[in-house]
Amino acid sequence: MIQNENEIDVVVKQAEAGFQFLQQCNVIERAKLMHAIADEIEAIDSMLIETAHLETALPVSRLEGEKSRTVNQWRMYANAVHTGLYSEARIDQSPDGKIDLRKYNKGLGPVVVFGASNFPFAFSTAGGDTASAIGAGCSVIVKAHPAHVKTSQLMADAIHRGISKYGASADIFSHVVSNSFEIGQQLVKHRLVKAVAFTGSFAGGKALFDLGQSRPDPIPVFAEMGSINPVFVLPDYLTDNGEAFAKQYIGSLTLGVGQFCTNPGVLIGLEGEKLDTLKADLKREIQAVATGKMLHQGILDHYNQLRGEMIGCNGVNILAEGTDNVQEGFAQAMLVETDAAQVLHNPELLEEVFGPFGLVISCADRHEMKILMEHLVGQITLTFAASDDDMWKYQDLFTIAQNKCGRLLFQGMPTGVEVKHAMQHGGPFPATTDSRFTSVGPDAIKRFLRPISFQNWPDEFLPKELQDGNPLQIERLVNQHWTKE
Amino acid sequence: MIQNENEIDVVVKQAEAGFQFLQQCNVIERAKLMHAIADEIEAIDSMLIETAHLETALPVSRLEGEKSRTVNQWRMYANAVHTGLYSEARIDQSPDGKIDLRKYNKGLGPVVVFGASNFPFAFSTAGGDTASAIGAGCSVIVKAHPAHVKTSQLMADAIHRGISKYGASADIFSHVVSNSFEIGQQLVKHRLVKAVAFTGSFAGGKALFDLGQSRPDPIPVFAEMGSINPVFVLPDYLTDNGEAFAKQYIGSLTLGVGQFCTNPGVLIGLEGEKLDTLKADLKREIQAVATGKMLHQGILDHYNQLRGEMIGCNGVNILAEGTDNVQEGFAQAMLVETDAAQVLHNPELLEEVFGPFGLVISCADRHEMKILMEHLVGQITLTFAASDDDMWKYQDLFTIAQNKCGRLLFQGMPTGVEVKHAMQHGGPFPATTDSRFTSVGPDAIKRFLRPISFQNWPDEFLPKELQDGNPLQIERLVNQHWTKE
């Protein structure tokens, strides 16, 4: 337990020493280190799953899958670092030989990571933020999520075992446990901290962002703050697919008790017979959804409160609820309906209700649907349940949609975030604090890198990524041509 | 002349329409547009040079060089955009064929550009910020620099001729003239503006940054705010090179009346006989430097004021001055000296004096030199006048230096910023507001791009950069392999 500023100072100074260590490691060394950490996470025994299950109420099978995913993230990011993709090595030599300019990306410095409660492995202590910061050559200080401190400690221990087996300095990773918000804030404000990564609520992320920007020296604070992930269901698609779509939508909405930042909390369609039929299908589907235990009591209380506020709003009607055998800590799914005119008058209806809660919005016509699209704030995802015919007819909608989200889906559902190079898990504010970056996929590493140029620097003192002989055999842009020479 | 918020709103809405236009242009189309603009800048007659000479007092030959450089920037950035380098196209297909994920970079939206007074062509209206924003597919609103409004208008007209010849919408570029600070601030605060680029003073850049971060939806504000670009002159190097170095240093310090953001305003050495000899050489060199006319009276007043404050500080002595035939608007060069102990007590001695003013700092020993390095804030450049022998001895200094600057130089002088892929013109705060980006070289384009993923999106509706047949023939990362297939 960290309790005061002096203790924070010790931790951050350790992280600074750890950063100095990592600064001497080239991309191949960092990749090996990351695989060593992945090995240790992979090797943790069943105690990890049991502990996480007790702390988060997430099902064992889900946690087993998330553990594999976490290991895979480390390995995938390691392999990407190994290729030199993120070094972006560039060499330019003037024809007269007088100026030799070489640039590559290095780590920013110590990074503070605030994990998410809903992914105790993949987006927490040993999650994507930690892996991408280490991949960038940055040391990491994790502020353990108070909802799963024991899980966090097991992961931190595994990371330290990996660090030790590789032979790196233990200072490259620190684990801070505290129940106090102030400790997290003081970490963000510490002069030696150079970046912050956060996954969680808007209130939490925005507060840390503001803190980072109001420092004497502002630092990047990447906060992924969730969104309502609207699904637009278009008329031609509904003709043949309504029933299957209803099943798919309710499945995605209530998956994991709705506790995903890509949860499709809003469904938008055109009023009329087809939408009425769909509503009946949706109603039937959600009525069969069993109650589910949420991550912790605080999240459940928040869910019930926001849900209550929503159904108290003018023009919002309950369409249907899930089964009501509510036990302690369990949440009941709910689907409500309203129309676009209400939403345009009261934008609060478009705020996230974290949990198995969906809002169906009917638009009078496609013009109103377009206006609603224009009123959306930044989203992680936007989904079109559309036929090819709809695609031709609603092109104006897609044009706007591209500036509203990080990922566009044709059919399918936004839950299920592939860890891939082509994944963008981000989006315009307020989905994140910087739409130029992603927090899923190896590109997440970019958040923690900055370029440095060396002009006429003697070869033997250059980082290996930039030396004449290309000892690491990475792709480099040499005099505007890609080469390994 | 723009005078009120309603007029601003009209301009920004035009820029939004321009952005919608650019959004439909692929990288090859944008590259052609940029070459069309470059053609028109190239074709402007001698009136441009004459006007700029009258407005900025910069010599005709320098302005002619800067004009070529400006044209070359547009062409180089266009060529880089054309290759797809900044599209970062990524395609991942799941083995079972169920998930097809494609990502590329698109423009953020309308960008507001505040140009620099000291580069009326290359870093102003038609400068690197405008070229990189258009290259990213963003529309641009330039707030004309009040010190060279006529020059700015000529450039704006050329840009519009280029846009018209290419056949693009005139809305993609707007030119705003106003003497009021508020107009600039209102532009940064407008909800449709999505990014800001600034080159100039710390006070100006930081104010715009704060404004951008305190919006309801924060936006990226990249401000390049100059620095003091310290030169470390190491003892072994001085043994044989003192005289030549003195000539080189004073040349760089007083080049263009010291009006460069890479001006080497501080020289740091070890006290002793060699530094004394160097000081005598520097003294002789600067005494021969003629007065020079500064960009405008405001800059000269500021120079004289800051110079006065510096020589009023405890422990600061005048070493020598340039010739004193001061005419109206002209600045006299000056070199002052102090020691590291004074600087460590009074960090204000390390603030930038924009103009031909140098501060020589003597360190008692290499330990003090290291402490001084540790105390430096972020710089655009750091230079080592060092021999190979010095390089071996002072490695601890270089390790720290890498976290203090955007560009490290071995010998040579920091003035003269090559427009290359390998150039990093940036650096940790307060050199810029975000060390992860550069404002010189094609990589400057990255500031205005954000990724978007398309999941299972029908091929015909994808941007050309991501379509199956790779119609633009750009390099893409397909299932983790680079290919043009």
Side-chain angles (χ1 to χ4, degrees):
Chain A
M1 277 286 210
I2 285 264
Q3 289 172 335
N4 60 46
E5 260 186 83
N6 288 344
E7 288 173 332
I8 287 176
D9 198 51
V10 170
V11 169
V12 180
K13 281 180 176 152
Q14 269 175 10
E16 172 65 17
F19 172 63
Q20 298 301 332
F21 175 90
L22 277 174
Q23 198 166 236
Q24 310 297 330
C25 298
N26 61 52
V27 287
I28 291 178
E29 291 162 339
R30 294 208 301 274
K32 282 184 184 161
L33 164 64
M34 293 167 79
H35 279 294
I37 292 171
D39 291 343
E40 294 304 317
I41 296 171
E42 199 161 17
I44 313 181
D45 61 21
S46 58
M47 160 112 87
L48 177 72
I49 305 288
E50 286 158 29
T51 305
H53 176 62
L54 284 174
E55 286 191 319
T56 66
L58 292 170
V60 166
S61 61
R62 143 76 195 266
L63 287 167
E64 280 166 348
E66 192 182 326
K67 186 184 164 196
S68 300
R69 178 195 173 127
T70 305
V71 171
N72 291 343
Q73 280 181 170
W74 280 90
R75 299 208 190 283
M76 187 184 190
Y77 295 12
N79 294 340
V81 166
H82 192 286
T83 65
L85 178 61
Y86 299 108
S87 300
E88 294 188 281
R90 281 154 198 211
I91 299 177
D92 285 300
Q93 293 155 314
S94 64
D96 63 6
K98 282 188 185 155
I99 293 177
D100 179 295
L101 204 57
R102 298 172 188 233
K103 178 166 80 165
Y104 88 134
N105 290 334
K106 68 185 294 297
L108 281 174
V111 174
V112 174
V113 170
F114 295 85
S117 64
N118 60 340
F119 279 93
F121 305 153
F123 293 97
S124 190
T125 313
D129 288 339
T130 300
S132 49
I134 301 266
C138 296
S139 55
V140 171
I141 302 164
V142 164
K143 165 81 165 56
H145 197 290
H148 54 253
V149 172
K150 287 178 191 160
T151 305
S152 191
Q153 188 64 57
L154 289 172
M155 278 295 193
D157 293 344
I159 291 173
H160 271 134
R161 282 195 299 277
I163 290 170
S164 162
K165 284 207 180 155
Y166 172 80
S169 155
D171 293 335
I172 68 171
F173 178 84
S174 306
H175 187 236
V176 170
V177 178
S178 164
N179 290 324
S180 140
F181 280 119
E182 284 73 33
I183 294 294
Q185 292 173 342
Q186 283 163 6
L187 281 169
V188 174
K189 286 197 281 188
H190 195 288
R191 68 182 173 85
L192 292 174
V193 167
K194 296 301 177 199
V196 176
F198 169 93
T199 308
S201 70
F202 177 78
K206 183 60 164 51
L208 293 180
F209 175 81
D210 289 343
L211 215 54
Q213 304 325 299
S214 61
R215 285 167 51 123
D217 57 327
I219 56 171
V221 175
F222 185 87
E224 190 269 84
M225 303 177 288
S227 59
I228 53 169
N229 304 291
V231 176
F232 287 79
V233 59
L234 300 183
D236 187 58
Y237 179 76
L238 264 191
T239 310
D240 292 326
N241 304 288
E243 225 178 304
F245 173 80
K247 203 179 283 286
Q248 197 185 16
Y249 176 76
I250 297 297
S252 177
L253 182 73
T254 59
L255 187 71
V257 204
Q259 300 169 114
F260 292 107
C261 42
T262 50
N263 189 50
V266 167
L267 178 62
I268 298 164
L270 289 184
E271 67 180 30
E273 217 174 292
K274 287 179 192 172
L275 191 60
D276 291 342
T277 310
L278 177 64
K279 282 181 186 174
D281 291 336
L282 291 166
K283 194 170 164 175
R284 197 179 57 246
E285 289 297 330
I286 202 160
Q287 282 169 341
V289 173
T291 57
K293 191 167 185 188
M294 294 197 88
L295 288 156
H296 56 80
Q297 189 63 36
I299 285 197
L300 176 63
D301 291 346
H302 199 55
Y303 170 69
N304 284 328
Q305 185 200 324
L306 290 183
R307 205 176 71 143
E309 285 171 17
M310 280 286 177
I311 55 185
C313 286
N314 259 348
V316 174
N317 306 310
I318 298 179
L319 201 56
E321 292 176 86
T323 64
D324 64 354
N325 53 337
V326 177
Q327 306 164 49
E328 198 179 313
F330 279 56
Q332 187 183 18
M334 182 184 273
L335 203 60
V336 303
E337 60 175 340
T338 190
D339 57 42
Q342 291 290 348
V343 174
L344 294 172
H345 277 98
N346 181 10
E348 287 181 14
L349 292 174
L350 294 177
E351 286 179 9
E352 188 181 7
V353 178
F354 192 76
F357 178 87
L359 170 66
V360 182
I361 303 173
S362 56
C363 301
D365 51 30
R366 47 181 293 185
H367 177 66
E368 197 177 48
M369 188 179 259
K370 189 177 162 187
I371 290 175
L372 189 59
M373 175 70 92
E374 277 167 352
H375 274 74
L376 288 179
V377 295
Q379 304 290 331
I380 296 180
T381 68
L382 278 172
T383 300
F384 290 92
S387 68
D388 281 353
D389 191 51
D390 290 322
M391 288 296 278
W392 285 111
K393 280 198 188 136
Y394 287 82
Q395 284 193 64
D396 54 343
L397 217 54
F398 311 138
T399 305
I400 308 168
Q402 288 188 43
N403 296 310
K404 296 285 185 183
C405 71
R407 177 164 54 114
L408 267 174
L409 291 96
F410 176 72
Q411 302 179 358
M413 283 294 146
T415 44
V417 180
E418 298 280 303
V419 183
K420 297 283 185 195
H421 281 277
M423 173 54 68
Q424 172 63 11
H425 189 73
F429 190 90
T432 74
T433 48
D434 194 339
S435 68
R436 296 174 298 176
F437 298 96
T438 179
S439 61
V440 175
D443 281 355
I445 294 167
K446 290 184 187 175
R447 296 173 293 170
F448 309 116
L449 289 169
R450 72 176 185 86
I452 179 168
S453 288
F454 298 85
Q455 187 165 326
N456 295 342
W457 205 252
D459 195 60
E460 57 201 333
F461 297 103
L462 283 169
K464 281 215 165 55
E465 286 84 346
L466 294 176
Q467 285 179 2
D468 268 342
N470 194 10
L472 304 181
Q473 282 297 293
I474 58 175
E475 284 280 347
R476 310 191 293 187
L477 191 64
V478 179
N479 296 321
Q480 306 196 45
H481 295 284
W482 287 104
T483 172
K484 285 192 178 180
E485 295 302 300
Chain B
M1 276 285 209
I2 285 265
Q3 288 172 335
N4 60 46
E5 261 185 80
N6 288 345
E7 288 172 333
I8 287 177
D9 197 52
V10 170
V11 169
V12 179
K13 280 180 178 153
Q14 268 173 12
E16 173 65 17
F19 172 62
Q20 298 301 336
F21 176 90
L22 277 173
Q23 198 166 239
Q24 310 297 333
C25 298
N26 62 50
V27 287
I28 291 178
E29 291 163 339
R30 295 208 300 273
K32 282 184 186 161
L33 164 66
M34 293 167 81
H35 278 295
I37 292 171
D39 291 343
E40 294 304 317
I41 297 171
E42 200 162 14
I44 314 181
D45 63 20
S46 58
M47 160 110 88
L48 177 73
I49 305 288
E50 286 158 29
T51 305
H53 176 62
L54 284 173
E55 285 191 317
T56 66
L58 292 171
V60 166
S61 61
R62 142 77 197 265
L63 288 167
E64 281 167 347
E66 193 183 323
K67 185 184 164 196
S68 301
R69 178 197 172 125
T70 305
V71 171
N72 292 342
Q73 280 181 169
W74 279 91
R75 299 207 189 283
M76 187 184 189
Y77 294 11
N79 294 340
V81 166
H82 191 285
T83 66
L85 178 60
Y86 298 109
S87 299
E88 295 188 280
R90 280 151 200 213
I91 299 176
D92 285 301
Q93 294 155 312
S94 64
D96 62 6
K98 283 189 185 154
I99 294 178
D100 180 297
L101 203 57
R102 299 175 187 229
K103 179 167 81 166
Y104 88 134
N105 289 334
K106 68 185 295 299
L108 281 174
V111 174
V112 173
V113 170
F114 295 86
S117 64
N118 60 339
F119 279 93
F121 304 153
F123 293 97
S124 191
T125 312
D129 287 339
T130 300
S132 48
I134 300 266
C138 296
S139 55
V140 171
I141 302 164
V142 164
K143 164 83 167 55
H145 197 290
H148 54 252
V149 172
K150 287 179 191 159
T151 304
S152 191
Q153 189 64 57
L154 289 172
M155 278 297 193
D157 293 345
I159 291 174
H160 271 135
R161 283 195 297 276
I163 290 169
S164 162
K165 284 208 181 155
Y166 172 80
S169 155
D171 293 335
I172 68 170
F173 178 83
S174 307
H175 187 236
V176 169
V177 177
S178 164
N179 291 322
S180 141
F181 281 117
E182 284 74 31
I183 295 294
Q185 292 174 342
Q186 282 163 5
L187 281 169
V188 173
K189 287 197 281 187
H190 196 288
R191 70 182 171 85
L192 292 174
V193 167
K194 296 301 177 199
V196 176
F198 169 92
T199 308
S201 69
F202 175 79
K206 183 61 164 52
L208 293 181
F209 174 80
D210 289 343
L211 216 54
Q213 303 326 299
S214 62
R215 286 167 51 123
D217 57 328
I219 56 171
V221 176
F222 186 86
E224 191 270 80
M225 304 178 287
S227 60
I228 53 170
N229 304 291
V231 176
F232 286 79
V233 57
L234 299 183
D236 187 57
Y237 179 76
L238 263 191
T239 309
D240 292 326
N241 304 290
E243 226 178 302
F245 173 80
K247 203 178 283 286
Q248 195 184 18
Y249 176 76
I250 297 298
S252 177
L253 183 72
T254 60
L255 187 72
V257 204
Q259 299 168 117
F260 292 107
C261 41
T262 51
N263 189 50
V266 166
L267 179 61
I268 298 164
L270 289 184
E271 68 180 30
E273 219 174 289
K274 286 179 191 171
L275 191 61
D276 291 341
T277 310
L278 177 63
K279 284 181 184 173
D281 291 337
L282 290 166
K283 193 172 165 174
R284 198 181 54 247
E285 288 297 329
I286 203 161
Q287 281 169 342
V289 172
T291 56
K293 190 166 187 189
M294 293 197 89
L295 288 157
H296 56 81
Q297 190 62 37
I299 285 197
L300 176 62
D301 292 345
H302 198 57
Y303 171 68
N304 284 329
Q305 185 200 325
L306 289 183
R307 202 176 73 143
E309 286 171 14
M310 280 287 177
I311 57 185
C313 286
N314 258 347
V316 174
N317 305 310
I318 297 179
L319 201 57
E321 293 175 86
T323 65
D324 63 355
N325 54 337
V326 176
Q327 305 163 50
E328 198 178 314
F330 278 57
Q332 189 182 18
M334 181 184 274
L335 203 60
V336 302
E337 60 176 340
T338 191
D339 58 41
Q342 290 290 348
V343 174
L344 294 172
H345 276 98
N346 181 9
E348 287 182 13
L349 292 174
L350 293 178
E351 286 180 9
E352 187 181 8
V353 178
F354 192 75
F357 179 88
L359 170 66
V360 181
I361 303 173
S362 57
C363 302
D365 51 30
R366 49 180 293 187
H367 177 67
E368 197 176 48
M369 187 178 260
K370 189 178 162 185
I371 290 175
L372 190 58
M373 175 69 92
E374 277 166 351
H375 274 76
L376 288 178
V377 295
Q379 304 289 331
I380 295 179
T381 70
L382 278 172
T383 300
F384 289 92
S387 68
D388 280 355
D389 192 50
D390 290 321
M391 288 296 277
W392 286 110
K393 281 196 187 136
Y394 287 81
Q395 284 192 64
D396 54 343
L397 218 53
F398 312 138
T399 304
I400 308 168
Q402 287 187 44
N403 295 309
K404 296 286 185 182
C405 70
R407 178 164 54 116
L408 268 173
L409 291 96
F410 177 70
Q411 302 178 0
M413 283 294 148
T415 44
V417 180
E418 299 278 305
V419 183
K420 298 283 186 195
H421 280 277
M423 173 54 68
Q424 172 63 10
H425 188 74
F429 190 90
T432 73
T433 47
D434 195 339
S435 68
R436 296 175 297 176
F437 297 97
T438 179
S439 61
V440 175
D443 280 355
I445 293 166
K446 290 183 189 177
R447 296 174 294 170
F448 308 116
L449 288 168
R450 71 176 185 86
I452 180 168
S453 289
F454 298 85
Q455 187 166 325
N456 295 344
W457 206 252
D459 195 60
E460 56 200 335
F461 297 102
L462 283 169
K464 281 214 165 54
E465 287 83 347
L466 294 176
Q467 285 179 1
D468 267 342
N470 195 10
L472 305 181
Q473 281 296 294
I474 59 176
E475 284 281 347
R476 311 192 290 187
L477 191 65
V478 179
N479 295 321
Q480 307 197 42
H481 296 284
W482 287 104
T483 173
K484 284 192 179 178
E485 295 302 301

